[in-house]
Amino acid sequence: MLKEFKAFIMRGNVLDLAVAVIIGAAFGRIVTSLTDDILMPVIGKIFGGLDFSSYFLVMGPVPDALKGSSDYAALKKAGVPLLGYGEFITVLVNFLIVAFIIFLIVRTVNRTLSTFEREKAAAPAPDSAEVQLLREIRDELKARPRG
């Protein structure tokens, strides 16, 4: 059973999947940082606040210690029911960035493959073995002395 498991793990597609997951996780962190640290502060500034994640609606009672607080994380940690539309918008922007980048990658790959297929179709097909043999016979007949 251990040999079968090792053979399964060492197959190319399993290793490719593992690499893709690791790269995807790292890419996700980059996009999250881009969104949280660069884009959302600019969007927040445009809409009147520096921290976009602080946009939320309180949907239930707030403990006395947190009355008047605008700290989304503290309120959420305290169990206050919140409608955190600012966090949702941040996650949505993350998704749109990832989706757009994946779209660009797939589009580039498709165009490259399409170009390769066109070049392959435009290249003349090699002569078949029969055609090559007939040409050799023709050349031999031409080379014979006439007499």
Side-chain angles (χ1 to χ4, degrees), residues 74-90:
L75 289 168
K76 191 171 184 178
K77 187 176 180 182
V80 177
L82 302 171
L83 181 67
Y85 63 91
E87 278 294 317
F88 175 74
I89 292 172
T90 301

Side-chain angles (χ1 to χ4, degrees), residues 31-48:
V31 171
T32 300
S33 177
L34 172 70
T35 304
D36 292 345
D37 301 330
I38 296 173
L39 295 178
M40 294 316 286
V42 171
I43 293 171
K45 185 71 170 173
I46 292 170
F47 288 103

Side-chain angles (χ1 to χ4, degrees), residues 48-117:
L50 294 177
D51 183 14
F52 204 69
S53 66
S54 67
Y55 291 118
F56 60 90
L57 295 173
V58 178
M59 304 297 287
V62 178
D64 291 335
L66 294 172
K67 290 266 187 214
S69 174
S70 64
D71 186 0
Y72 179 75
L75 289 168
K76 191 171 184 178
K77 187 176 180 182
V80 177
L82 302 171
L83 181 67
Y85 63 91
E87 278 294 317
F88 175 74
I89 292 172
T90 301
V91 171
L92 183 63
V93 170
N94 271 346
F95 169 76
L96 291 174
I97 291 169
V98 170
F100 183 69
I101 291 172
I102 290 172
F103 165 74
L104 291 177
I105 291 169
V106 169
R107 182 176 170 222
T108 302
V109 168
N110 286 341
R111 284 185 176 187
T112 302
L113 290 176
S114 164
T115 302
F116 176 72
E117 289 297 323

Side-chain angles (χ1 to χ4, degrees), residues 14 16 40 67 74 78 81 96 99 134 139-140:
V14 173
D16 292 344
M40 294 316 286
K67 290 266 187 214
L96 291 174
L134 288 172
D139 293 343
E140 286 293 324

